[in-house]
Amino acid sequence: MRTERRKATRHPFIARAEIIDERENARTSSKISDLSLNGCFVEIGNPFPEGTSVVIEIYTEDEMLEA
């Protein structure tokens, strides 16, 4: 049996996201899931290099969050 190591409970959540590399102005589409107090899971095919400064836009049916 696996021991739960997460700090916060994850809640089912699915949304579409756009991730923008601020320096290169490159956009990548992705999917967001498993929302928690400490973050969420971002499914992305080709991750940005560690340390890349990005803006993420998360879209639901009727709302948008930019971070």
Side-chain angles (χ1 to χ4, degrees):
M1 185 170 151
R2 285 180 62 168
T3 302
E4 182 61 52
R5 295 183 303 173
R6 295 184 179 104
K7 294 177 185 177
T9 302
R10 290 187 176 192
H11 303 278
F13 175 80
I14 296 177
R16 180 177 62 87
E18 293 288 320
I19 304 171
I20 303 111
D21 177 339
E22 291 185 307
R23 199 170 96 186
E24 300 293 327
N25 200 26
R27 295 179 80 89
T28 302
S29 295
S30 66
K31 187 172 103 175
I32 304 291
S33 63
D34 295 330
L35 190 62
S36 81
L37 182 61
N38 297 314
C40 61
F41 178 78
V42 179
E43 185 177 316
I44 185 168
N46 190 17
F48 293 102
E50 186 174 334
T52 302
S53 181
V54 298
V55 171
I56 185 166
E57 298 171 350
I58 301 173
Y59 298 92
T60 64
E61 227 174 87
D62 54 350
E63 295 187 83
M64 189 270 273
L65 169 72
E66 183 177 298

